[in-house]
Amino acid sequence: MSIQDTLEAFQQRLVERGLKSTRQRGLIVETFFELDRHVNVDELLLEVRKRRASTGYATVYRTLKLLVDLGFANERRFGGPETPTIYDPSFERDEHFHLICLECQHIIEFRDVPLEKRHEAIAREQGFTLQQQTLDLYGHCTRENCPRRPQA
Ligand SMILES: [Zn+2]
Ligand SMILES: [Zn+2]
């Protein structure tokens, strides 16, 4: 699905809800779909401000909430209450899982089709209709700027 299609689907959903589409909201939504990865409010704000410097935090926050509300994003919080909520694009997107660093909150997304199939089989065995899959694996990453990384 192209960004244009996703945007159109979003506009349509807005109209169905009797909500107006503003240019500013459109820009935020477009940026979110273009990034195509999970972001927290600050990360998205930073990207949107590259295009429209006067964008406010509250507007981005409200737009992300709206995206969740309309089924275009999943709201997730990994780790403790001090980690920021992230927003994952979800519309027409493949199932994916997460590796989360407990130290620097770095998140890696991965796909694993055999694992998805296994989850489906488990659900089927239990007479369960699967709607959504999530898998969050916690540990420590090896990124250069992760405080946990052993010093050379
Ligand atoms: Zn994700
Ligand atoms: Zn890390």
Side-chain angles (χ1 to χ4, degrees):
M1 232 187 166
S2 73
I3 290 171
Q4 209 49 47
D5 291 339
T6 312
L7 275 170
E8 270 167 34
F10 175 75
Q11 298 295 352
Q12 199 185 326
R13 205 80 57 97
L14 274 184
V15 172
E16 283 166 14
R17 289 282 190 97
L19 295 164
K20 268 202 213 118
S21 68
T22 64
R23 285 213 11 226
Q24 190 176 30
R25 189 187 273 161
L27 180 69
I28 295 166
V29 169
E30 197 179 327
T31 308
F32 178 71
F33 290 144
E34 274 173 19
L35 286 171
D36 196 34
R37 59 174 169 85
H38 50 250
V39 288
N40 61 41
V41 180
D42 288 312
E43 286 166 345
L44 185 59
L45 181 63
L46 203 72
E47 292 297 325
V48 175
R49 278 189 174 159
K50 288 177 186 169
R51 302 168 177 197
R52 194 177 187 276
S54 63
T55 308
Y57 182 95
T59 312
V60 171
Y61 176 79
R62 279 198 304 267
T63 304
L64 281 168
K65 289 284 178 198
L66 183 68
L67 282 163
V68 172
D69 216 31
L70 299 180
F72 290 84
N74 286 323
E75 192 177 33
R76 301 294 315 274
R77 175 174 272 156
F78 301 113
E82 62 293 343
T83 57
T85 301
I86 61 146
Y87 298 85
D88 224 353
S90 63
F91 188 69
E92 300 279 335
R93 200 166 178 242
D94 289 328
E95 211 73 68
H96 68 274
F97 307 118
H98 297 101
L99 286 160
I100 303 113
C101 178
L102 291 163
E103 208 65 39
C104 70
Q105 274 80 48
H106 180 56
I107 301 162
I108 298 165
E109 295 190 336
F110 68 97
R111 285 208 67 199
D112 189 318
V113 175
L115 194 54
E116 285 168 34
K117 295 262 181 287
R118 182 73 196 118
H119 287 159
E120 284 161 13
I122 291 167
R124 232 179 0 254
E125 282 160 24
Q126 302 288 338
F128 199 85
T129 308
L130 205 58
Q131 286 290 324
Q132 198 194 350
Q133 300 194 20
T134 59
L135 182 66
D136 306 333
L137 306 173
Y138 291 89
H140 301 288
C141 79
T142 54
R143 287 205 311 163
E144 207 155 329
N145 48 359
C146 182
R148 181 62 179 244
R149 191 180 145 104
Q151 299 300 308

